[in-house]
Amino acid sequence: MALLTPLFAFLYHLPQVYKWLLKPYYIASLFMSVAFLLVRKTPGICEHLSTQREDGNSCDFDWREVEILMFLSAIVMMKNRRAITIEQHVGNIILFSKVANVILFFRLDIRLGLLYLTLCIVFLMICKPPLYMGPEYIKYFSDKTIDDELEKDNRVTWIVEFFANWSPECQSFASVYADLSLKYNCAGLKFGKVDIGRYSEVSKKYRVSTSPLSKQLPSLVLFQGGKEVMRRPQVDKKGRAVSWTFTEENIIREFNLNELYQKSKKLDKPKGEKFERPTESVFAPVPEEEEPEAETITAMDTESKKDK
C-alpha cells in the first residue's frame, strides 16, 4: 500500500501534470535535469568522455556515478515525504537533479561543470516558476486597504495569507489556499492575501518576518472583529516558526473551518431580514463590558415610578 498510494495519486493528477510539463519553465528544467544523462548516452559525444569502468565503455555510467544517482534518489524520497502538492514533488525532483548534474559534470570535466553551473545560474536569474492562475475567491490587499477591509464589518471573519512571490513554499501553497477559498468562502467568512515581500510595512505591523531563516512564509492569520485570533505557523520567542505542515486537512482542523463556515453562512440572508449576531464564537470570545443585572434595573425602575 505504501507504494500504491503515491502511484494512484500520481495517476489521478496526471492530466494536471501534463499541463505543468508543457510550460516553458518546466520544459527547460526537465531538459537541464537530464543533461548529464543525455551527454553520457548520446552517440558521437559519449565516446569522447572519460570513464572509470573496467570495460572502458564511456557511454555507460561507472560505479561512482551510480552511487551519486542512488544517493540523489534517497534524498528526493525523503524530501517528498513532506511535500504537499504535485508542484512540490516535481520541484524537489528538478532541484536535486540539477545538484546531482553539477557534481557529475565537475567530476567528469571541470569545463563541463563550469558550463553547466553557469547555465543554472542564468536560468535561475531569468526564469521564474509560473504562478498559480486557477479559480479562487480571494481578495488581494495592499498596505492601504488591509486595515480598512478587516475592520469594515465586525461580523465577517477573515483568513489572510501573508506571502511573498519569491518564496517557493508560498508558490506551492497557492493552489491549496485557492481550493479552500472555493469551498469555504461565504458572506461571513472571507479569504485574503497580502504580498509582504512588496509591502514591508504590513510585514512589520503584523509581525510576519520575510527572512528565509525564520520560515514564517507563508503565514495564515485568522481575524475576527478586525483583531487577530490565531495564526499558523506559531512563532517562538526567538522569532522562528514552529514546524507546521500546510496541508488542506491541517488547515481545516486547526482553523475549525467546517464549524466556522456553518456559523458564517448565517449572514447569507435576504436583504429584508435582519442579521443576527452569532451568540458564540468558534474561538476565544472578545471580552465585553458587563451589563447591569436585571434585578438592579428593575429596582431602579420601581423607585423612579414611586417618585413620579
Side-chain angles (χ1 to χ4, degrees), residues 81-261:
R81 290 177 62 184
R82 300 190 63 183
I84 304 171
T85 61
I86 298 297
E87 293 100 320
Q88 285 183 315
H89 285 279
V90 175
N92 287 335
I93 294 173
I94 291 175
L95 173 62
F96 289 101
S97 295
K98 290 178 181 177
V99 173
N101 273 269
V102 170
I103 298 172
L104 291 170
F105 274 120
F106 268 106
R107 181 177 174 275
L108 182 65
D109 190 323
I110 190 172
R111 293 170 297 180
L112 293 176
L114 290 173
L115 176 62
Y116 183 81
L117 183 60
T118 302
L119 289 175
C120 288
I121 295 173
V122 172
F123 180 80
L124 182 64
M125 294 175 62
I126 65 176
C127 298
K128 302 295 181 182
L131 300 177
Y132 176 79
M133 300 298 291
E136 58 186 23
Y137 285 136
I138 298 175
K139 185 175 184 63
Y140 286 80
F141 300 131
S142 68
D143 55 344
K144 298 179 180 179
T145 61
I146 182 170
D147 294 334
D148 294 337
E149 288 292 339
L150 294 179
E151 299 173 1
K152 182 185 296 184
D153 191 341
N154 290 336
R155 300 169 301 175
V156 176
T157 297
W158 282 94
I159 298 178
V160 181
E161 178 195 356
F162 294 82
F163 75 103
N165 278 325
W166 51 261
S167 169
E169 291 79 8
C170 294
Q171 295 167 4
S172 300
F173 180 62
S175 59
V176 177
Y177 191 58
D179 289 340
L180 288 171
S181 72
L182 294 174
K183 294 177 182 177
Y184 291 97
N185 182 80
C186 63
L189 177 60
K190 296 184 179 181
F191 293 78
K193 294 180 74 169
V194 57
D195 185 359
I196 58 176
R198 180 179 180 184
Y199 304 111
S200 57
E201 298 83 3
V202 178
S203 171
K204 296 176 182 177
K205 180 175 181 179
Y206 291 95
R207 304 183 307 278
V208 181
S209 174
T210 56
S211 171
L213 298 177
S214 68
K215 297 184 178 180
Q216 294 185 32
L217 293 176
S219 283
L220 281 185
V221 182
L222 186 139
F223 295 91
Q224 287 183 332
K227 297 180 180 180
E228 178 181 334
V229 177
M230 64 175 294
R231 72 168 61 196
R232 292 293 183 273
Q234 295 177 319
V235 181
D236 59 20
K237 296 180 180 179
K238 297 181 179 179
R240 296 179 182 176
V242 179
S243 181
W244 196 73
T245 306
F246 280 89
T247 61
E248 184 172 326
E249 295 77 12
N250 283 350
I251 296 170
I252 293 173
R253 182 180 64 254
E254 291 289 324
F255 288 84
N256 207 359
L257 285 185
N258 290 322
E259 184 178 350
L260 192 60
Y261 176 71

